[in-house]
Amino acid sequence: MSSSDNTSEIGKKLVALCNSGKGLEAVDTLYDEKIVSIEAQGSDELPARMEGIRAIRGKNTWWYDNHEVHASKATGPFCGHRDDQFAVHFEMDVTEKASGQRHQMAEVGLYTVRAGKVVQEEFLYLQG
Amino acid sequence: MSSSDNTSEIGKKLVALCNSGKGLEAVDTLYDEKIVSIEAQGSDELPARMEGIRAIRGKNTWWYDNHEVHASKATGPFCGHRDDQFAVHFEMDVTEKASGQRHQMAEVGLYTVRAGKVVQEEFLYLQG
């Protein structure tokens, strides 16, 4: 199996888990211990750049605890010329529990794979 | 205007032109002379990596000449932590004229911007 096949397979597993509401299982099974996660913007609760499986697991738990997910769809993986990269398109309909505000979001996740594990995720947000 | 604002503005123009059926105008007005274009796979007609505005214009003209576009939608730009990058999600319903085969495609375009011009485009294809 070439490394690009491997990357595509990891992408397929991640998309399937996200579409089954098992985002945390994707973190637990597909992510490297030294995962780097980079958002477009940071906040007081969540810095833009976080490192390490414990921090990223905590970030995901925080997110699920603080949002009610009405609908969520992941499409992908999208694979290009790089053997170590795939992209996923996400669409979500969520209510932020603290504010009660409901909004529809779209983003692209860019994932980097090394030695069979996701070592970096970057999120690009749809501009209004 | 910061460079990330600039990148986002170029992305918005590219998406608007693609959604108006003016993909060639996007190449003519937004692309650098030394643009690098990278597909996931190459073919006899189109190598995976092509360079220079004439080659990329030719590639786009070839594509439009050889496909009948029934529907096409670009969504974006998606912007992340990098000041010089945006992504676009494309959905297309096209018939390849030579074979008569109609298919629905989805891809993600990753664009790199330098000094106000797109200097690289990479296409990632949805894996079946």
Side-chain angles (χ1 to χ4, degrees):
Chain A
M1 194 159 85
S2 77
S3 57
S4 66
D5 288 340
N6 196 8
T7 297
S8 171
E9 288 308 313
I10 292 167
K12 285 177 188 172
K13 285 179 189 169
L14 186 141
V15 167
L17 287 168
C18 288
N19 282 330
S20 308
K22 297 178 178 169
L24 281 177
E25 189 176 326
V27 171
D28 286 339
T29 59
L30 304 176
Y31 279 29
D32 190 83
E33 291 255 310
K34 295 183 177 170
I35 176 77
V36 173
S37 177
I38 313 176
E39 301 282 342
Q41 279 100 33
S43 67
D44 288 345
E45 292 103 340
L46 293 178
R49 182 189 176 93
M50 297 178 78
E51 287 190 47
I53 193 73
R54 282 191 62 185
I56 279 43
R57 206 178 191 289
K59 168 179 165 171
N60 276 270
T61 303
W62 177 91
W63 197 88
Y64 285 111
D65 285 350
N66 285 276
H67 292 83
E68 182 186 355
V69 181
H70 307 290
S72 170
K73 186 185 170 195
T75 308
F78 296 85
C79 295
H81 69 111
R82 279 179 54 173
D83 276 352
D84 65 343
Q85 188 179 61
F86 66 88
V88 177
H89 181 248
F90 293 100
E91 292 167 292
M92 276 170 280
D93 177 4
V94 297
T95 295
E96 192 189 9
K97 291 180 185 173
S99 65
Q101 280 208 318
R102 181 169 179 167
H103 51 274
Q104 288 74 44
M105 306 159 57
E107 59 189 41
V108 167
L110 266 185
Y111 298 84
T112 310
V113 172
R114 199 177 304 138
K117 292 284 184 180
V118 176
V119 293
Q120 184 167 294
E121 59 174 13
E122 301 168 57
F123 295 105
L124 290 76
Y125 311 155
L126 181 59
Q127 305 297 297
Chain B
M1 194 159 82
S2 76
S3 57
S4 64
D5 288 341
N6 196 10
T7 297
S8 171
E9 287 308 314
I10 292 166
K12 285 178 188 171
K13 285 180 189 170
L14 186 140
V15 167
L17 286 168
C18 289
N19 282 331
S20 308
K22 296 178 179 171
L24 282 175
E25 189 176 326
V27 172
D28 287 339
T29 58
L30 305 176
Y31 279 28
D32 191 82
E33 292 254 310
K34 294 183 179 171
I35 175 77
V36 173
S37 177
I38 313 177
E39 301 283 342
Q41 280 98 31
S43 66
D44 288 346
E45 291 104 338
L46 293 178
R49 182 189 175 93
M50 297 178 76
E51 287 191 47
I53 192 74
R54 281 191 62 186
I56 279 43
R57 207 178 190 289
K59 167 180 166 170
N60 277 269
T61 304
W62 177 90
W63 195 89
Y64 285 111
D65 285 349
N66 285 276
H67 293 84
E68 182 185 356
V69 180
H70 307 290
S72 170
K73 185 184 171 197
T75 308
F78 296 84
C79 296
H81 69 111
R82 280 178 53 173
D83 276 352
D84 65 343
Q85 187 178 62
F86 65 88
V88 177
H89 180 248
F90 293 100
E91 292 167 293
M92 277 170 279
D93 177 4
V94 298
T95 295
E96 192 189 8
K97 289 180 186 173
S99 65
Q101 280 208 317
R102 181 169 179 166
H103 50 272
Q104 288 74 44
M105 304 159 57
E107 59 188 41
V108 167
L110 266 186
Y111 299 85
T112 311
V113 172
R114 199 176 303 139
K117 292 284 183 180
V118 176
V119 292
Q120 184 166 296
E121 59 175 13
E122 302 168 56
F123 295 104
L124 289 77
Y125 312 154
L126 181 58
Q127 305 298 298

XYZ file of all heavy atoms in Angstrom, chain B residues 11-100:
697
model
N -9.828 35.688 -3.085
C -10.660 34.487 -3.067
C -12.112 34.795 -3.409
O -12.753 34.071 -4.168
N -12.632 35.905 -2.859
C -14.025 36.274 -3.154
C -14.207 36.575 -4.643
O -15.215 36.199 -5.245
C -14.436 37.486 -2.315
C -14.693 37.127 -0.862
C -15.050 38.344 -0.024
C -15.114 37.956 1.459
N -15.251 39.117 2.344
N -13.234 37.282 -5.220
C -13.324 37.585 -6.667
C -13.289 36.295 -7.485
O -14.045 36.132 -8.440
C -12.154 38.494 -7.083
C -12.322 39.933 -6.635
C -11.127 40.781 -7.069
C -11.181 42.160 -6.430
N -9.924 42.921 -6.636
N -12.393 35.382 -7.121
C -12.274 34.117 -7.867
C -13.579 33.321 -7.809
O -14.071 32.832 -8.830
C -11.105 33.306 -7.319
C -10.771 32.032 -8.091
C -9.253 31.841 -8.194
C -11.387 30.799 -7.455
N -14.166 33.219 -6.614
C -15.420 32.473 -6.450
C -16.536 33.132 -7.262
O -17.305 32.453 -7.963
C -15.793 32.371 -4.952
C -17.232 31.901 -4.764
C -14.824 31.430 -4.237
N -16.626 34.470 -7.197
C -17.690 35.183 -7.932
C -17.542 34.975 -9.438
O -18.523 34.720 -10.141
C -17.651 36.673 -7.580
N -16.312 35.047 -9.935
C -16.092 34.851 -11.372
C -16.438 33.418 -11.783
O -17.087 33.204 -12.814
C -14.647 35.194 -11.746
C -14.317 36.702 -11.756
C -12.811 36.935 -11.850
C -15.035 37.420 -12.907
N -16.010 32.427 -10.982
C -16.332 31.026 -11.308
C -17.838 30.810 -11.331
O -18.359 30.101 -12.188
C -15.672 30.070 -10.309
S -13.876 29.964 -10.514
N -18.558 31.452 -10.397
C -20.009 31.274 -10.337
C -20.745 32.063 -11.413
O -21.953 31.899 -11.581
C -20.534 31.636 -8.944
C -20.278 30.531 -7.940
O -20.229 29.348 -8.300
N -20.091 30.898 -6.680
N -20.029 32.930 -12.130
C -20.623 33.655 -13.262
C -20.165 33.044 -14.583
O -20.350 33.656 -15.643
C -20.200 35.130 -13.231
O -20.451 35.702 -11.975
N -19.550 31.873 -14.531
C -19.067 31.236 -15.767
C -17.875 31.949 -16.381
O -17.628 31.847 -17.583
N -17.141 32.712 -15.546
C -16.014 33.503 -16.052
C -14.681 33.003 -15.495
O -13.845 33.785 -15.029
C -16.214 34.978 -15.692
C -17.439 35.590 -16.356
C -17.630 37.039 -15.926
C -18.849 37.665 -16.597
N -19.180 38.996 -16.037
N -14.486 31.688 -15.554
C -13.254 31.097 -15.041
C -12.015 31.628 -15.753
O -10.968 31.843 -15.124
N -12.115 31.846 -17.055
C -10.958 32.354 -17.796
C -10.616 33.783 -17.386
O -9.446 34.170 -17.361
C -11.209 32.299 -19.305
C -11.066 30.909 -19.942
C -11.447 30.964 -21.413
C -9.640 30.384 -19.779
N -11.651 34.568 -17.047
C -11.408 35.935 -16.583
C -10.677 35.912 -15.238
O -9.816 36.770 -14.970
C -12.731 36.697 -16.469
C -12.537 38.181 -16.216
C -13.865 38.954 -16.209
O -14.787 38.576 -16.971
O -13.970 39.924 -15.436
N -10.987 34.912 -14.402
C -10.263 34.771 -13.129
C -8.778 34.519 -13.398
O -7.909 35.120 -12.752
C -10.861 33.631 -12.300
N -8.483 33.646 -14.349
C -7.083 33.377 -14.705
C -6.413 34.667 -15.207
O -5.311 35.020 -14.776
C -7.002 32.271 -15.790
C -5.580 32.128 -16.318
C -7.505 30.940 -15.237
N -7.103 35.378 -16.083
C -6.511 36.582 -16.696
C -6.278 37.706 -15.700
O -5.308 38.457 -15.823
C -7.427 37.100 -17.819
C -7.370 36.218 -19.054
O -6.367 35.488 -19.201
O -8.322 36.257 -19.847
N -7.167 37.828 -14.714
C -7.086 39.007 -13.851
C -6.456 38.735 -12.488
O -5.922 39.649 -11.862
C -8.498 39.607 -13.602
O -9.332 38.608 -13.003
C -9.127 40.072 -14.907
N -6.513 37.485 -12.008
C -6.078 37.207 -10.631
C -4.779 36.407 -10.558
O -4.156 36.349 -9.500
C -7.177 36.442 -9.873
C -8.557 37.103 -9.841
C -9.561 36.187 -9.152
C -8.495 38.456 -9.121
N -4.367 35.788 -11.669
C -3.225 34.878 -11.632
C -1.923 35.596 -11.976
O -1.880 36.474 -12.830
C -3.442 33.724 -12.620
C -4.331 32.619 -12.085
C -5.311 32.880 -11.130
C -4.189 31.309 -12.533
C -6.119 31.867 -10.644
C -5.004 30.290 -12.041
C -5.966 30.573 -11.113
O -6.765 29.571 -10.623
N -0.854 35.148 -11.309
C 0.486 35.628 -11.588
C 0.998 35.019 -12.905
O 0.596 33.917 -13.279
C 1.405 35.207 -10.428
C 2.757 35.881 -10.481
O 2.865 37.030 -10.030
O 3.706 35.250 -10.998
N 1.889 35.729 -13.550
C 2.501 35.226 -14.803
C 3.162 33.866 -14.605
O 3.213 33.044 -15.508
C 3.594 36.201 -15.270
C 3.105 37.537 -15.743
C 3.199 37.631 -17.250
O 4.275 37.324 -17.785
O 2.181 38.000 -17.883
N 3.698 33.650 -13.383
C 4.428 32.406 -13.111
C 3.588 31.396 -12.324
O 4.124 30.593 -11.555
C 5.722 32.716 -12.351
C 6.703 33.520 -13.193
C 8.014 33.759 -12.481
C 8.964 34.552 -13.377
N 10.163 34.992 -12.662
N 2.283 31.457 -12.515
C 1.368 30.546 -11.810
C 1.803 29.082 -11.979
O 2.202 28.665 -13.064
C -0.074 30.742 -12.346
C -1.060 29.734 -11.735
C -0.125 30.662 -13.869
C -1.463 30.050 -10.348
N 1.715 28.332 -10.870
C 1.947 26.882 -10.891
C 0.615 26.204 -10.599
O -0.065 26.568 -9.630
C 2.990 26.473 -9.835
C 3.096 24.950 -9.728
C 4.349 27.079 -10.168
N 0.228 25.251 -11.446
C -1.045 24.559 -11.297
C -0.776 23.070 -11.134
O -0.071 22.472 -11.942
C -1.898 24.813 -12.540
O -3.119 24.102 -12.448
N -1.316 22.469 -10.069
C -0.993 21.075 -9.744
C -2.263 20.254 -9.557
O -3.034 20.482 -8.617
C -0.131 20.981 -8.463
C 1.034 21.990 -8.510
C 0.410 19.571 -8.298
C 1.878 22.005 -7.242
N -2.495 19.318 -10.463
C -3.605 18.381 -10.343
C -3.145 17.167 -9.532
O -1.949 16.916 -9.400
C -4.058 17.903 -11.737
C -4.507 19.007 -12.673
C -5.903 19.543 -12.368
O -6.677 18.866 -11.667
O -6.218 20.653 -12.831
N -4.111 16.404 -9.034
C -3.770 15.181 -8.292
C -3.126 14.162 -9.233
O -2.171 13.481 -8.872
C -5.014 14.594 -7.634
N -3.676 14.053 -10.436
C -3.105 13.151 -11.437
C -2.957 13.871 -12.775
O -3.742 14.755 -13.081
C -4.010 11.921 -11.667
C -3.870 10.831 -10.622
C -4.947 10.898 -9.562
O -6.061 11.312 -9.840
N -4.620 10.501 -8.337
N -1.974 13.447 -13.545
C -1.805 13.973 -14.889
C -2.351 13.003 -15.931
O -2.744 11.892 -15.610
N -2.395 13.460 -17.176
C -2.791 12.600 -18.297
C -1.917 12.968 -19.485
O -1.073 13.864 -19.392
C -4.266 12.832 -18.633
O -4.437 14.151 -19.132
N -2.126 12.288 -20.613
C -1.343 12.608 -21.807
C -1.573 14.061 -22.244
O -0.639 14.771 -22.599
C -1.723 11.675 -22.958
C -1.194 10.265 -22.705
O -0.335 10.113 -21.814
O -1.651 9.340 -23.385
N -2.838 14.493 -22.183
C -3.129 15.871 -22.615
C -2.643 16.888 -21.588
O -2.188 17.966 -21.954
C -4.641 16.084 -22.805
C -5.252 15.332 -23.976
C -6.038 14.126 -23.492
O -5.761 13.660 -22.362
O -6.907 13.665 -24.252
N -2.786 16.536 -20.309
C -2.512 17.510 -19.248
C -1.570 16.919 -18.202
O -1.989 16.080 -17.401
C -3.817 17.906 -18.549
C -4.842 18.691 -19.339
C -6.070 18.944 -18.491
C -4.272 20.011 -19.837
N -0.316 17.346 -18.180
C 0.563 16.894 -17.095
C 0.036 17.400 -15.753
O -0.662 18.421 -15.696
C 1.910 17.526 -17.439
C 1.626 18.609 -18.407
C 0.334 18.288 -19.090
N 0.354 16.680 -14.677
C -0.166 17.049 -13.363
C 0.299 18.443 -12.958
O -0.454 19.210 -12.374
C 0.267 16.018 -12.319
N 1.560 18.780 -13.286
C 2.103 20.069 -12.896
C 2.355 20.918 -14.133
O 3.074 20.512 -15.041
C 3.413 19.854 -12.136
C 4.043 21.137 -11.626
C 5.447 20.871 -11.077
N 6.093 22.099 -10.701
C 6.068 22.630 -9.482
N 5.451 22.001 -8.514
N 6.659 23.781 -9.231
N 1.773 22.100 -14.170
C 1.983 23.012 -15.294
C 2.365 24.382 -14.733
O 1.928 24.755 -13.641
C 0.725 23.108 -16.155
C 0.346 21.779 -16.792
S -1.175 21.853 -17.786
C -0.572 22.692 -19.266
N 3.172 25.104 -15.501
C 3.653 26.405 -15.032
C 3.480 27.477 -16.095
O 3.652 27.217 -17.287
C 5.148 26.315 -14.697
C 5.440 25.545 -13.431
C 6.894 25.710 -12.986
O 7.386 26.872 -12.973
O 7.509 24.688 -12.675
N 3.185 28.671 -15.643
C 3.157 29.826 -16.540
C 1.746 30.132 -17.004
O 0.928 29.239 -17.245
N 1.438 31.404 -17.118
C 0.069 31.835 -17.407
C -0.429 31.323 -18.755
O -1.607 30.975 -18.901
C -0.035 33.396 -17.303
C -1.485 33.856 -17.293
C 0.770 34.080 -18.401
C -2.201 33.596 -15.994
N 0.455 31.209 -19.754
C 0.004 30.719 -21.067
C -0.431 29.265 -20.985
O -1.464 28.875 -21.546
C 1.116 30.862 -22.109
C 1.233 32.294 -22.626
C 2.142 32.386 -23.827
N 1.649 31.611 -24.970
C 2.330 31.436 -26.089
N 3.545 31.953 -26.235
N 1.818 30.742 -27.080
N 0.365 28.452 -20.278
C 0.033 27.030 -20.135
C -1.271 26.846 -19.359
O -2.128 26.033 -19.739
C 1.170 26.289 -19.440
N -1.444 27.635 -18.312
C -2.638 27.469 -17.474
C -3.875 28.004 -18.195
O -4.966 27.447 -18.081
C -2.436 28.148 -16.086
C -1.627 27.257 -15.140
C -3.770 28.405 -15.403
C -0.453 26.549 -15.645
N -3.691 29.069 -18.961
C -4.810 29.549 -19.770
C -5.204 28.480 -20.800
O -6.382 28.195 -21.015
C -4.417 30.865 -20.466
C -5.601 31.725 -20.755
C -5.290 33.051 -21.395
N -6.498 33.871 -21.384
C -7.553 33.625 -22.141
N -7.561 32.602 -22.954
N -8.630 34.408 -22.055
N -4.187 27.874 -21.412
C -4.428 26.815 -22.389
C -5.143 25.620 -21.770
O -6.061 25.042 -22.363
N -4.736 25.268 -20.579
C -5.371 24.154 -19.874
C -6.850 24.429 -19.616
O -7.709 23.571 -19.816
C -4.647 23.955 -18.545
C -5.303 23.065 -17.530
C -4.388 23.022 -16.306
C -5.039 22.459 -15.085
N -4.062 22.223 -14.008
N -7.143 25.664 -19.171
C -8.534 26.023 -18.914
C -9.348 26.042 -20.201
O -10.483 25.549 -20.226
C -8.608 27.394 -18.223
C -8.405 27.281 -16.719
O -9.347 27.130 -15.963
N -7.139 27.319 -16.289
N -8.783 26.582 -21.271
C -9.481 26.613 -22.554
C -9.755 25.182 -23.031
O -10.860 24.858 -23.484
C -8.620 27.362 -23.592
O -8.334 28.660 -23.077
C -9.338 27.490 -24.923
N -8.723 24.312 -22.918
C -8.886 22.894 -23.294
C -10.030 22.277 -22.513
O -10.882 21.591 -23.076
C -7.575 22.132 -23.015
C -7.678 20.676 -23.302
C -7.407 20.047 -24.486
C -8.125 19.638 -22.398
N -7.645 18.703 -24.378
C -8.095 18.419 -23.108
C -8.550 19.630 -21.066
C -8.459 17.204 -22.533
C -8.925 18.417 -20.487
C -8.869 17.234 -21.219
N -10.070 22.550 -21.210
C -11.096 21.925 -20.365
C -12.484 22.385 -20.805
O -13.393 21.565 -20.992
C -10.846 22.261 -18.887
C -11.625 21.362 -17.979
C -11.239 20.163 -17.477
C -12.962 21.577 -17.517
N -12.232 19.614 -16.718
C -13.305 20.448 -16.714
C -13.899 22.587 -17.684
C -14.540 20.322 -16.103
C -15.145 22.456 -17.067
C -15.459 21.340 -16.296
N -12.654 23.686 -20.991
C -13.976 24.193 -21.387
C -14.363 23.693 -22.780
O -15.531 23.407 -23.044
C -14.019 25.728 -21.330
C -14.098 26.264 -19.915
C -13.030 26.957 -19.340
C -15.240 26.081 -19.141
C -13.089 27.438 -18.038
C -15.313 26.559 -17.839
C -14.242 27.233 -17.290
O -14.310 27.706 -16.001
N -13.370 23.552 -23.683
C -13.656 23.050 -25.034
C -14.098 21.590 -25.019
O -14.839 21.152 -25.907
C -12.405 23.163 -25.917
C -12.137 24.599 -26.344
O -13.021 25.465 -26.131
O -11.042 24.853 -26.881
N -13.620 20.837 -24.037
C -13.842 19.389 -24.038
C -14.918 18.913 -23.068
O -15.123 17.707 -22.928
C -12.516 18.662 -23.758
C -11.611 18.702 -24.980
O -11.728 17.883 -25.880
N -10.737 19.714 -25.042
N -15.576 19.836 -22.389
C -16.628 19.465 -21.452
C -17.852 20.358 -21.651
O -17.711 21.553 -21.909
C -16.144 19.616 -19.993
C -15.071 18.644 -19.622
N -13.746 18.867 -19.900
C -15.126 17.433 -19.012
C -13.021 17.836 -19.459
N -13.824 16.967 -18.918
N -19.001 19.730 -21.536
C -20.240 20.508 -21.492
C -20.623 20.637 -20.021
O -20.788 19.623 -19.326
C -21.349 19.794 -22.270
C -22.649 20.587 -22.306
C -23.796 19.815 -22.979
O -23.540 18.686 -23.475
O -24.923 20.320 -22.956
N -20.724 21.866 -19.554
C -21.003 22.104 -18.136
C -22.505 22.312 -17.940
O -23.074 23.276 -18.430
C -20.220 23.344 -17.620
C -20.524 23.580 -16.136
C -18.722 23.173 -17.840
N -23.152 21.362 -17.242
C -24.587 21.478 -16.980
C -24.839 22.346 -15.757
O -25.795 23.108 -15.707
C -25.195 20.091 -16.771
C -24.882 19.145 -17.882
N -25.417 19.265 -19.138
C -24.034 18.085 -17.943
C -24.934 18.306 -19.917
N -24.086 17.581 -19.212
N -23.992 22.201 -14.759
C -24.114 23.010 -13.540
C -22.757 23.072 -12.866
O -21.950 22.136 -12.978
C -25.139 22.399 -12.590
N -22.516 24.178 -12.191
C -21.215 24.378 -11.557
C -21.395 25.345 -10.393
O -22.060 26.376 -10.537
C -20.256 24.971 -12.598
O -19.061 25.392 -11.991
N -20.850 24.972 -9.259
C -20.990 25.831 -8.088
C -19.669 25.893 -7.332
O -19.089 24.845 -7.004
C -22.082 25.281 -7.164
C -22.388 26.166 -5.975
C -23.407 25.515 -5.063
C -23.557 26.287 -3.757
N -24.204 25.464 -2.729
N -19.211 27.101 -7.082
C -18.014 27.305 -6.263
C -18.448 27.891 -4.925
O -19.267 28.817 -4.887
C -17.052 28.258 -6.960
N -17.946 27.346 -3.822
C -18.232 27.873 -2.483
C -16.918 28.275 -1.824
O -15.962 27.504 -1.813
C -18.925 26.807 -1.608
O -20.046 26.291 -2.308
C -19.386 27.398 -0.287
N -16.888 29.480 -1.282
C -15.676 29.945 -0.629
C -15.582 31.452 -0.710
O -16.560 32.107 -1.047
N -14.450 32.035 -0.412
C -13.239 31.336 -0.008
C -13.294 30.890 1.459
O -13.980 31.494 2.281
C -12.159 32.405 -0.189
C -12.865 33.689 0.099
C -14.245 33.497 -0.469
N -12.559 29.822 1.763
C -12.305 29.378 3.131
C -10.898 29.855 3.497
O -9.949 29.600 2.752
C -12.357 27.851 3.217
C -13.706 27.257 2.900
C -14.085 27.015 1.588
C -14.599 26.947 3.919
C -15.330 26.455 1.289
C -15.841 26.394 3.631
C -16.207 26.148 2.309
N -10.794 30.548 4.633
C -9.492 31.097 5.032
C -9.113 30.579 6.416
O -9.974 30.467 7.302
C -9.529 32.617 5.038
S -9.801 33.310 3.385
N -7.827 30.296 6.592
C -7.323 29.770 7.849
C -6.232 30.638 8.436
O -6.235 31.856 8.254
N -5.293 30.007 9.114
C -4.253 30.761 9.826
C -3.208 31.331 8.881
O -2.529 32.289 9.228
C -3.593 29.876 10.889
C -2.755 28.768 10.320
N -1.384 28.748 10.438
C -3.094 27.663 9.611
C -0.923 27.653 9.848
N -1.933 26.979 9.346
N -3.074 30.746 7.698
C -2.057 31.247 6.768
C -2.578 32.457 6.008
O -3.658 32.430 5.418
C -1.669 30.143 5.777
C -0.696 29.138 6.349
C -0.382 28.052 5.342
N 0.066 28.596 4.044
C 0.523 27.844 3.056
N 0.617 26.537 3.187
N 0.888 28.405 1.911
N -1.797 33.524 6.001
C -2.179 34.766 5.326
C -2.213 34.626 3.810
O -2.770 35.480 3.120
C -1.143 35.861 5.632
C -1.423 36.543 6.938
O -2.489 36.279 7.530
O -0.560 37.335 7.372
N -1.527 33.604 3.313
C -1.312 33.511 1.858
C -2.111 32.381 1.210
O -1.824 32.014 0.068
C 0.185 33.311 1.564
C 0.697 31.981 2.103
O 0.007 31.371 2.959
O 1.786 31.554 1.673
N -3.103 31.846 1.921
C -3.801 30.670 1.402
C -5.312 30.788 1.547
O -5.800 31.285 2.550
C -3.331 29.423 2.168
C -3.853 28.107 1.614
C -3.318 26.911 2.395
O -3.570 26.762 3.585
N -2.563 26.068 1.729
N -6.042 30.341 0.515
C -7.482 30.138 0.680
C -7.884 28.867 -0.061
O -7.145 28.377 -0.922
C -8.296 31.352 0.199
C -8.227 31.644 -1.274
C -9.106 31.049 -2.178
C -7.284 32.536 -1.769
C -9.042 31.346 -3.534
C -7.216 32.833 -3.134
C -8.094 32.238 -4.016
N -9.031 28.320 0.319
C -9.565 27.120 -0.323
C -10.924 27.433 -0.927
O -11.633 28.337 -0.478
C -9.697 25.991 0.692
N -11.279 26.686 -1.973
C -12.596 26.799 -2.606
C -13.132 25.387 -2.812
O -12.380 24.482 -3.203
C -12.517 27.534 -3.962
C -13.891 27.578 -4.639
C -11.973 28.946 -3.783
N -14.421 25.198 -2.516
C -15.074 23.907 -2.746
C -15.867 24.002 -4.047
O -16.668 24.918 -4.219
C -16.011 23.603 -1.561
C -16.736 22.310 -1.663
N -18.086 22.223 -1.839
C -16.292 21.022 -1.612
C -18.446 20.941 -1.877
N -17.380 20.202 -1.744
N -15.598 23.092 -4.975
C -16.256 23.096 -6.286
C -17.152 21.868 -6.438
O -16.753 20.749 -6.073
C -15.217 23.030 -7.414
C -14.352 24.245 -7.549
C -13.062 24.248 -7.032
C -14.806 25.380 -8.201
C -12.238 25.365 -7.157
C -13.998 26.498 -8.332
C -12.713 26.497 -7.810
N -18.332 22.087 -6.980
C -19.206 20.980 -7.392
C -19.584 21.212 -8.846
O -19.927 22.340 -9.224
C -20.475 20.957 -6.533
C -20.215 20.587 -5.084
C -21.421 20.878 -4.199
O -21.739 22.071 -4.021
O -22.030 19.934 -3.707
N -19.489 20.163 -9.653
C -19.763 20.297 -11.089
C -20.541 19.104 -11.606
O -20.344 17.985 -11.160
C -18.442 20.374 -11.865
C -17.835 21.764 -11.885
S -16.149 21.712 -12.553
C -15.258 21.183 -11.087
N -21.398 19.388 -12.564
C -22.121 18.349 -13.284
C -21.749 18.553 -14.747
O -22.164 19.538 -15.369
C -23.629 18.534 -13.047
C -24.475 17.540 -13.808
O -23.918 16.635 -14.469
O -25.715 17.684 -13.758
N -20.937 17.654 -15.293
C -20.369 17.867 -16.633
C -20.467 16.613 -17.493
O -20.494 15.490 -16.986
C -18.875 18.276 -16.558
C -18.715 19.590 -15.822
C -18.031 17.198 -15.920
N -20.511 16.832 -18.808
C -20.382 15.731 -19.764
C -19.064 15.908 -20.518
O -18.794 16.980 -21.073
C -21.553 15.720 -20.769
O -22.762 15.458 -20.060
C -21.352 14.647 -21.839
N -18.260 14.838 -20.518
C -17.037 14.837 -21.307
C -17.453 14.604 -22.758
O -18.047 13.579 -23.091
C -16.123 13.703 -20.813
C -14.710 13.789 -21.353
C -13.909 12.540 -21.019
O -14.497 11.561 -20.503
O -12.709 12.540 -21.275
N -17.151 15.582 -23.612
C -17.687 15.521 -24.981
C -17.205 14.282 -25.734
O -17.970 13.643 -26.453
C -17.297 16.801 -25.738
C -18.039 18.041 -25.241
C -17.630 19.281 -26.025
C -18.252 20.541 -25.428
N -17.741 21.772 -26.071
N -15.930 13.916 -25.583
C -15.362 12.802 -26.356
C -16.083 11.497 -26.055
O -16.401 10.732 -26.976
C -13.876 12.669 -26.062
N -16.348 11.225 -24.794
C -16.937 9.944 -24.407
C -18.453 10.014 -24.265
O -19.132 8.981 -24.256
C -16.347 9.489 -23.072
O -16.727 10.388 -22.038
N -18.985 11.230 -24.139
C -20.415 11.382 -23.876
C -20.785 11.066 -22.434
O -21.951 11.098 -22.071
